[in-house]
Amino acid sequence: MPLGSISFIQILFLQPIILYQNCIDQNRNDCENHGWSLPGNVFDCSGNLIIGNYILDQIVEKTFEIPPHQLLRFSVTFYKIDSWDSEGFEVSANDNIIFKKILADQDGNQNLCGKTTWKDMPFYYEKEMKISEFELKIKFQNHLDQGLDDEQWGFRNFTLEILIPCVDFYEECNYQGQLFQICQGDKTQFQSEIPFEIRSIRMNNNTVLKLRGPQYSGGNTQQYTTSQPCLDSYKFPKVVQIE
Ligand SMILES: *[C@@H]1O[C@H](CO)[C@@H](O)[C@H](O)[C@H]1NC(C)=O
Ligand SMILES: *[C@@H]1O[C@H](CO)[C@@H](O)[C@H](O)[C@H]1NC(C)=O
């Protein structure tokens, strides 16, 4: 082992990694302070609090910071309330439409809330995906053409989580230059060659990265639990262990 190198690296990926969760139970304060682009109104819909009263072409969106990953998942329960007239609901991720649903006035089994004339319908949606950007903008939009006395939509139970987390190692400070990625479950155990000296590390806050080197901090193990935009120059390990 060359002098100045790091002899050991260990990555512990702690689960679950929930980036954001909102209005999943009966906590009104949590439902009201959701941070999406339009506040809406929080009301009880047959035993569930929902964020609703969205009408016409109103867009509800939110942008999330996304750590390195192989797979993420978001899930949400939407509510069709009252008389949608074969109108279309859309979900977009970074401005690409990934889900469309068209529902008609009598879709749904029972009247849950809103006007009593029409049936209502919750519909659960979940999507697993990998994005290359470090931001994800989720956008909900319906194309309704009447007012609250006739039709609206709402949502609750939103969760965004990382299913397969990664750690990104970069050749330059501020996450620039060549990238080397290690993800949970990678089979690089004990013998992964990292092709360059590492200057920055991007990771999520639920991962514990341990490094040790004979000439680094007196040979003590260094532990990182947040991203490191610029490390002092040091030689990177030639030995990798994943847990
Ligand atoms: C709420 O979301 C979870 C996933 O986060 C899902 O398993 C559950 O079925 C949802 N509940 C409702 C009532 O849609
Ligand atoms: C992770 O930790 C950093 C530094 O403490 C903080 O700025 C950031 O908001 C955290 N991110 C998440 C998703 O919790």
Side-chain angles (χ1 to χ4, degrees):
M1 177 147 322
L3 277 180
S5 71
I6 288 175
S7 55
F8 176 69
I9 176 172
Q10 183 185 56
I11 306 176
L12 277 172
F13 292 106
L14 307 174
Q15 298 279 11
I17 301 172
I18 294 175
L19 299 178
Y20 178 85
Q21 205 161 42
N22 181 240
C23 206
I24 59 167
D25 52 28
Q26 297 300 84
N27 182 333
R28 179 171 282 272
N29 187 52
D30 183 50
C31 296
E32 282 171 351
N33 296 295
H34 51 70
W36 291 75
S37 60
L38 277 181
N41 281 312
V42 172
F43 57 91
D44 188 295
C45 187
S46 292
N48 285 310
L49 286 179
I50 68 171
I51 305 164
N53 284 172
Y54 295 115
I55 58 166
L56 302 176
D57 275 321
Q58 284 180 332
I59 290 173
V60 179
E61 64 184 24
K62 188 169 166 65
T63 300
F64 304 92
E65 219 178 285
I66 303 293
H69 63 279
Q70 276 295 326
L71 199 63
L72 61 79
R73 176 173 62 204
F74 72 90
S75 59
V76 56
T77 306
F78 296 110
Y79 280 73
K80 170 244 178 207
I81 299 169
D82 298 340
S83 169
W84 292 15
D85 309 306
S86 299
E87 281 144 336
F89 191 84
E90 292 167 5
V91 178
S92 313
N94 286 348
D95 293 319
N96 302 307
I97 293 176
I98 55 172
F99 175 68
K100 268 190 175 180
K101 191 174 185 81
I102 291 177
L103 290 171
D105 56 357
Q106 287 305 330
D107 280 336
N109 290 327
Q110 48 186 325
N111 172 57
L112 297 174
C113 49
K115 304 289 171 199
T116 51
T117 325
W118 297 287
K119 301 219 162 78
D120 309 310
M121 181 176 152
F123 54 102
Y124 175 75
Y125 173 70
E126 75 173 30
K127 176 77 177 175
E128 291 186 3
M129 61 200 286
K130 171 184 156 68
I131 60 163
S132 51
E133 300 89 346
F134 292 101
E135 274 190 353
L136 173 62
K137 183 171 79 179
I138 303 279
K139 181 163 93 179
F140 306 144
Q141 181 173 26
N142 206 338
H143 300 284
L144 301 174
D145 56 7
Q146 286 161 284
L148 259 192
D149 56 339
D150 189 83
E151 53 184 6
Q152 55 161 306
W153 65 272
F155 72 103
R156 61 180 300 276
N157 197 30
F158 182 92
T159 299
L160 173 62
E161 62 190 311
I162 300 294
L163 297 182
I164 304 178
C166 302
V167 176
D168 285 355
F169 299 95
Y170 292 87
E171 191 185 16
E172 306 291 342
C173 289
N174 301 313
Y175 322 117
Q176 303 293 311
Q178 259 197 86
L179 163 68
F180 188 86
Q181 187 174 67
I182 299 177
C183 298
Q184 185 172 36
D186 276 357
K187 297 277 179 264
T188 49
Q189 234 163 344
F190 302 118
Q191 278 308 322
S192 182
E193 293 286 311
I194 307 238
F196 50 81
E197 195 176 317
I198 304 301
R199 300 304 305 279
S200 54
I201 303 170
R202 202 197 300 254
M203 57 195 282
N204 75 80
N205 294 357
N206 240 16
T207 291
V208 182
L209 169 65
K210 288 181 182 170
L211 303 172
R212 186 168 64 233
Q215 296 216 333
Y216 192 66
S217 198
N220 293 320
T221 301
Q222 297 297 297
Q223 178 166 312
Y224 300 108
T225 54
T226 57
S227 294
Q228 303 294 315
C230 198
L231 297 176
D232 285 342
S233 180
Y234 62 80
K235 299 294 176 221
F236 208 67
K238 297 297 182 194
V239 179
V240 170
Q241 178 186 345
I242 310 283
E243 282 193 4

